[in-house]
Amino acid sequence: MKLKIAVLAGDGIGPEIMEQGVAVTTAVAEKFGHEVTYREALCGAHAIDEVGDPFPEETFQACMEADAVLFASVGDPKFDNDPTAKVRPEQGLLAMRKKLGLYANIRPVETFDCLIHKSPLKDELVRGADFICIRELTGGMYFGEKKEGTDVAYDTNLYSRPEVERILRIAYQYARRRRKHLTVVDKANVLASSRLWRKVAQEMMEEYPDVQTDFMYVDNAAMRMIQDPRFFDVMVTENTFGDILTDEGSCITGSMGLLPSASTGEHTPVFEPIHGSWPQGKGLNIANPLAQILSVAMLYEYFGLKSEGALIREAVNASLDHNIRTPEIQVEGGAKYGTREVGAWIVDYIRRK
């Protein structure tokens, strides 16, 4: 297979973890006889510094002309600490989602047995947790009408039936491929937009009689994720709730540096780690590259290349089992490995298999 990949390394630790992600992508392509070409493009704070736009037109065109986008992270403290800034790195991320029509964000939450001790939850609660959060990505308050004044501000949580239907259809498709259990998360007791979500879901569930559908208020879902994360199989929700719940879900695994994600929709799919740019770790060779590398696995699997994705996952699991880990997940007294060393070990594993 021939694949054209747009590479958006972004800010902070982004370039360091992206280097390992690209190396793994290349190693797998060579192993299985695929032809992969890369096109690097600017985004985030780096793009603002260079051209004044966090998602410039040239980057958009690079994404549109690619088969997939491999993305790392955006964000910089100089913008976080300046409330008067008119242009921010995160605006580039929102622009990418909107322009590419990326309405579905898929975040797997999976525990690793050898890292259960790193989870803030008790072993008996978290071991075996394995679910997917599907977040609607281009609607709701993040994109609705806004007003920000001195004394009054509002954000409009706007959703239409077609927006809800298309994300629910994706959620049902994932549930059918897994354990056939879908949880629709809303706040229908308070919000009109949530009542639309629930109404549409109740209508659509008749089309999927093989899937058990249940409904849960977002506050209850947040508690249930802590009390009994193994309850969930596939969870689907709107943009704002999904942003919060997916970060909560990531923490129960023990490290945000372990989980990948995919954003799909109308145009080129994007594959990225769920964590941020972590500017404090920039240039220190301590950032965990595993989420970026597992994003590559999701990329290959998206194109039906299951053996390629499986090999990447096998290599990541092997690195953890052999304690080839960055500092935040290393066992006490374990050897020190940095971003580059972990990436190189995984590349070597893939080449030797």
Side-chain angles (χ1 to χ4, degrees):
M1 177 177 281
K2 293 184 178 181
L3 287 173
K4 294 186 292 184
I5 299 178
V7 176
L8 278 59
D11 308 321
I13 61 171
E16 297 167 71
I17 59 172
M18 181 62 77
E19 182 180 352
Q20 308 313 317
V22 168
V24 168
T25 307
T26 300
V28 170
E30 292 172 350
K31 183 82 173 179
F32 289 87
H34 303 305
E35 182 181 327
V36 179
T37 56
Y38 305 98
R39 180 177 173 184
E40 296 183 0
L42 297 171
C43 68
H46 186 200
I48 295 174
D49 291 341
E50 293 288 328
V51 298
D53 185 340
F55 189 65
E57 180 64 23
E58 185 177 348
T59 299
F60 172 55
Q61 290 303 320
C63 293
M64 288 294 287
E65 293 167 9
D67 297 305
V69 177
L70 195 57
F71 175 79
S73 59
V74 294
D76 190 285
K78 67 183 178 183
F79 296 95
D80 297 339
N81 298 327
D82 181 7
T84 65
K86 301 298 183 183
V87 182
R88 297 178 180 275
E90 292 76 13
Q91 291 171 345
L93 185 57
L94 296 178
M96 179 172 68
R97 292 170 180 169
K98 197 70 173 178
K99 288 186 175 183
L100 295 179
L102 303 173
Y103 61 83
N105 179 238
I106 295 98
R107 288 193 181 186
V109 178
E110 183 179 1
T111 55
F112 297 83
D113 286 348
C114 64
L115 292 173
I116 292 294
H117 66 287
K118 288 287 186 179
S119 173
L121 301 185
K122 295 178 180 178
D123 185 310
E124 60 267 26
L125 292 178
V126 74
R127 186 177 295 274
D130 175 13
F131 60 94
I132 292 179
C133 296
I134 297 181
R135 168 191 172 193
E136 199 290 323
L137 208 55
T138 58
M141 286 193 290
Y142 287 21
F143 293 94
E145 181 183 350
K146 302 176 184 296
K147 178 179 179 180
E148 185 173 351
T150 304
D151 300 307
V152 175
Y154 63 76
D155 301 275
T156 307
N157 199 42
L158 177 66
Y159 273 103
S160 66
R161 174 178 286 270
E163 287 176 311
V164 178
E165 287 180 344
R166 66 184 182 180
I167 193 70
L168 285 172
R169 209 163 293 284
I170 286 179
Y172 272 113
Q173 290 167 1
Y174 270 90
R176 274 186 163 171
R177 294 197 294 266
R178 289 172 53 88
R179 301 191 299 274
K180 295 180 171 56
H181 177 202
L182 177 65
T183 303
V184 181
V185 177
D186 60 34
K187 192 63 177 170
N189 59 334
V190 175
L191 302 178
S193 57
S194 280
R195 286 191 286 275
L196 175 65
W197 272 74
R198 185 165 293 210
K199 178 182 179 181
V200 173
Q202 287 172 337
E203 294 171 1
M204 288 182 63
M205 64 188 287
E206 303 300 325
E207 300 177 37
Y208 301 90
D210 55 321
V211 176
Q212 176 191 342
T213 304
D214 50 43
F215 299 86
M216 195 174 292
Y217 295 147
V218 62
D219 43 352
N220 188 21
M223 290 189 293
R224 193 70 181 266
M225 285 175 66
I226 299 302
Q227 294 171 335
D228 184 18
R230 289 176 295 195
F231 168 83
F232 297 103
D233 177 24
V234 177
M235 171 194 298
V236 62
T237 191
E238 59 101 74
N239 204 343
T240 305
F241 297 160
D243 193 4
I244 297 166
L245 290 176
T246 51
D247 278 0
E248 180 186 5
S250 71
C251 290
I252 70 175
T253 66
S255 172
M256 290 185 72
L258 294 170
L259 300 181
S261 74
S263 297
T264 64
E266 298 169 3
H267 300 295
T268 315
V270 175
F271 303 88
E272 60 179 298
I274 68 158
H275 57 70
S277 60
W278 193 31
Q280 298 85 354
K282 178 181 178 180
L284 300 180
N285 192 38
I286 59 174
N288 191 341
L290 295 188
Q292 186 78 68
I293 290 169
L294 288 170
S295 297
V296 175
M298 292 188 75
L299 186 157
Y300 276 116
E301 290 162 351
Y302 177 86
F303 292 101
L305 304 174
K306 295 182 179 180
S307 296
E308 288 82 340
L311 179 56
I312 294 172
R313 296 180 188 280
E314 178 186 325
V316 166
N317 284 322
S319 72
L320 293 171
D321 290 341
H322 286 80
N323 293 329
I324 313 299
R325 313 179 189 185
T326 45
E328 92 284 3
I329 57 170
Q330 183 56 290
V331 296
E332 186 175 352
K336 293 183 179 179
Y337 295 94
T339 312
R340 292 188 295 272
E341 291 74 25
V342 171
W345 193 95
I346 291 173
V347 166
D348 182 64
Y349 183 97
I350 289 169
R351 288 174 174 163
R352 288 186 287 105
K353 290 298 288 186

